[in-house]
Amino acid sequence: MSDVSMIIDGERRAAPSTFGVVNPATGTVHAEAPDCSREQLDEAFDAAAKAFTDWRKDETARRTALREAATRLAAAADQIGPVLTAEQGKPLKAAKMEPLAASMWLKYFADLEVGREIIQDDARAYAEVVRRPVGVVAAITPWNFPIVLSAWKIGPALLAGNTMVLKPSPFTPRSTLLMGEILAEVLPPGVLNVVSGGDELGKWMTTHPTPRKISFTGSVATGKHIATAAAPDLKRVTLELGGNDAAIILDDADPTAITEKLFRGAFDNNGQVCSAIKRLYVPESLYDDVVDALAARVARVKVGDGMDPTSELGPIQNRPQYDRVSGLVAEALAGGAKAATGGAPIDGPGYFYQPTILTGAAEGTRIVDEEQFGPALPVISYRDLDEVVTRANATMYGLSGSVWSTDPDRAAAIAEQLDCGTAWVNTHVALGPHQPFGGFKWSGLGVENGPWGLAGFTEIQVQYRAKK
């Protein structure tokens, strides 16, 4: 049995069976989670549809409930953190930050004012554009940031007047279920239902007749399947998918000054960030200095169990991802790349891998062309600036990118040429609830966050009043 429950219609619910949840620091099952049945999923969607009738009517009540939800999440950081570390692997300090960040997101949307848009007011008519909720939302979240990425969906969806059935990744279900239990104390029954299960449950959700929108964060491959599943019913979709973010260092940059930011941009959360630096392009004149500085920083990293307060990075979250990162690095090394530091798994239990800086890899190798989503960074040299922009853009990904220089205006001019949803200057992975986040090409459809993300959970209605 599981000591965490699903939330259906405001009530804690067990499931007919459970599935094991692995602690990536040990590689063994440490707890169980409920495995939602198809009948229970029907009940969750029925509860959401029923709750929608009243929830959509009172914006003031929705804002009040979201503010209280934000307060409860922040207060539960010490409760949720250890549960998250045990199933995700990240250091406990980072795990405790997730509920705090989620609280910030919910409060932002609780306070976000978006007025009606008047498009005509003359002798003939008065007309305005009104945003209406879409209805029931099916939300599916990934394993890298289970709590905060749930809030990215819960905040705007609920403010807009929608209700939701939320499913976390089967790799990290327990922290989200615990969050659901906490939020059930302040949200009306049926407004937020939280269920857990494997990939089959996700397929049931995306083909279910009740939801009018699917909000998904995860892999490109799964995103394509969801878009296909949504098409016959014309369900609305927001898909926040993968990235292969390029960071370009210009020839006037100071390697010493930017080393820490580059390290954080590439290795935070063990590189398991969709918008992390995945490829680093460096001019030949600075190449050795940048590699040496990064390799020295990465070599100092303490990798260990997230419950150890001295750990800077934890394990890779799951075995398939561990095998993928190991395989990509091994293939690059076999093809002639060199490891300036790292380059191999760490002996012992769990999915620990040495943080790795690779040299000598280039386009045409999978570690450069694909999204590694782990603690391995290829550093690639270039000579011509126009050429490197072309190389950075020569991918089906288009999530984020960054340019680094002591001249911010020069860097910004290059950043504008990147084909991606967010282009940073002298930083990477700088996100906030007010800032739209989404990608070009295969990196997704639609955006999350800010008034733009809120609009994605609405339909446009024109209200037209004739005057004569």
Side-chain angles (χ1 to χ4, degrees):
M1 294 297 291
S2 169
D3 59 343
V4 289
S5 303
M6 299 186 296
I7 294 294
I8 298 176
D9 203 14
E11 297 181 353
R12 297 184 181 189
R13 295 282 298 277
S17 61
T18 63
F19 61 93
V21 180
V22 172
N23 182 338
T26 64
T28 59
V29 171
H30 81 285
E32 298 286 319
D35 195 359
C36 183
S37 70
R38 193 154 199 164
E39 293 73 21
Q40 288 177 315
L41 181 64
D42 287 341
E43 293 175 26
F45 276 124
D46 287 346
K50 183 174 122 182
F52 175 64
T53 302
D54 290 331
W55 179 252
R56 68 184 300 180
K57 293 177 181 176
D58 191 339
E59 181 179 319
T60 299
R62 296 198 299 269
R63 293 181 183 278
T64 299
L66 280 173
R67 290 186 187 101
E68 182 60 25
T71 299
R72 293 293 183 93
L73 263 187
D78 288 342
Q79 181 183 3
I80 294 173
V83 177
L84 180 54
T85 292
E87 65 181 3
Q88 204 283 336
K90 65 183 62 182
L92 182 58
K93 181 179 179 181
K96 290 181 178 181
M97 284 300 298
E98 275 213 43
L100 298 177
S103 172
M104 180 176 70
W105 250 260
L106 294 186
K107 187 175 187 307
Y108 168 82
F109 282 105
D111 295 338
L112 179 61
E113 297 288 348
V114 180
R116 293 186 174 189
E117 183 180 356
I118 299 170
I119 57 173
Q120 183 176 352
D121 187 7
D122 55 23
R124 182 179 182 84
Y126 176 89
E128 60 182 345
V129 173
V130 179
R131 293 283 179 172
R132 303 287 299 276
V134 297
V136 177
V137 174
I140 302 175
T141 51
W143 46 258
N144 58 336
F145 291 97
I147 302 301
V148 72
L149 292 180
S150 293
W152 283 30
K153 304 179 188 305
I154 293 169
L158 268 56
L159 174 62
N162 305 290
T163 55
M164 178 177 286
V165 177
L166 169 66
K167 174 197 172 298
S169 164
F171 289 117
T172 55
R174 291 169 51 81
S175 55
T176 304
L177 292 170
L178 178 56
M179 177 188 70
E181 293 178 1
I182 292 165
L183 296 187
E185 299 173 2
V186 298
L187 296 175
V191 168
L192 176 63
N193 306 273
V194 185
V195 297
S196 57
D199 292 342
E200 190 70 15
L201 179 61
K203 293 176 184 177
W204 295 343
M205 289 179 69
T206 56
T207 56
H208 198 281
T210 296
R212 295 309 314 146
K213 179 181 175 72
I214 303 167
S215 180
F216 170 76
T217 301
S219 71
V220 171
T222 303
K224 289 181 178 181
H225 286 307
I226 288 173
T228 301
D233 195 31
L234 295 179
K235 299 182 192 299
R236 279 50 175 155
V237 295
T238 296
L239 305 175
E240 196 275 280
L241 307 178
N244 190 8
D245 287 18
I248 300 173
I249 297 177
L250 302 189
D251 57 10
D252 63 349
D254 179 351
T256 303
I258 62 177
T259 295
E260 186 63 25
K261 281 189 174 183
L262 291 171
F263 166 73
R264 292 295 173 193
F267 289 93
D268 266 0
N269 205 42
N270 220 14
Q272 299 168 132
V273 181
C274 55
S275 57
I277 299 172
K278 308 287 173 49
R279 300 172 286 156
L280 180 61
Y281 289 95
V282 183
E284 288 183 350
S285 60
L286 297 179
Y287 189 79
D288 290 343
D289 290 342
V290 169
V291 168
D292 290 347
L294 270 176
R297 176 63 182 93
V298 169
R300 296 198 305 270
V301 173
K302 169 68 186 302
V303 179
D305 191 321
M307 295 303 293
D308 181 343
T310 67
S311 296
E312 252 187 297
L313 299 179
I316 294 175
Q317 198 282 318
N318 57 75
R319 184 58 189 252
Q321 191 59 28
Y322 171 83
D323 290 343
R324 173 173 172 76
V325 172
S326 300
L328 288 175
V329 174
E331 182 180 303
L333 294 174
K338 304 294 183 184
T341 190
I346 296 174
D347 291 337
Y351 309 138
F352 293 98
Y353 196 88
Q354 297 173 359
T356 299
I357 297 293
L358 289 175
T359 63
E363 292 82 4
T365 59
R366 291 203 303 144
I367 193 71
V368 174
D369 294 349
E370 300 180 13
E371 180 182 29
Q372 65 273 47
F373 214 70
L377 177 67
V379 183
I380 308 158
S381 66
Y382 75 88
R383 291 182 179 178
D384 180 79
L385 189 53
D386 290 335
E387 177 202 19
V388 81
V389 171
T390 300
R391 292 164 68 185
N393 287 335
T395 171
M396 287 310 298
Y397 293 99
L399 191 57
S400 310
S402 59
V403 182
W404 303 73
S405 170
T406 52
D407 183 343
D409 292 335
R410 181 182 179 221
I414 301 301
E416 287 182 7
Q417 301 176 45
L418 297 179
D419 296 336
C420 57
T422 304
W424 290 291
V425 169
N426 290 333
T427 191
H428 206 101
V429 199
L431 304 173
H434 63 291
Q435 182 178 318
F437 184 78
F440 294 7
K441 298 181 277 190
W442 284 4
S443 287
L445 294 173
V447 299
E448 297 191 283
N449 301 328
W452 308 271
L454 175 64
F457 287 97
T458 66
E459 298 279 21
I460 286 179
Q461 181 184 67
V462 176
Q463 294 186 0
Y464 185 100
R465 287 178 272 171
K467 293 183 178 179
K468 61 179 180 181

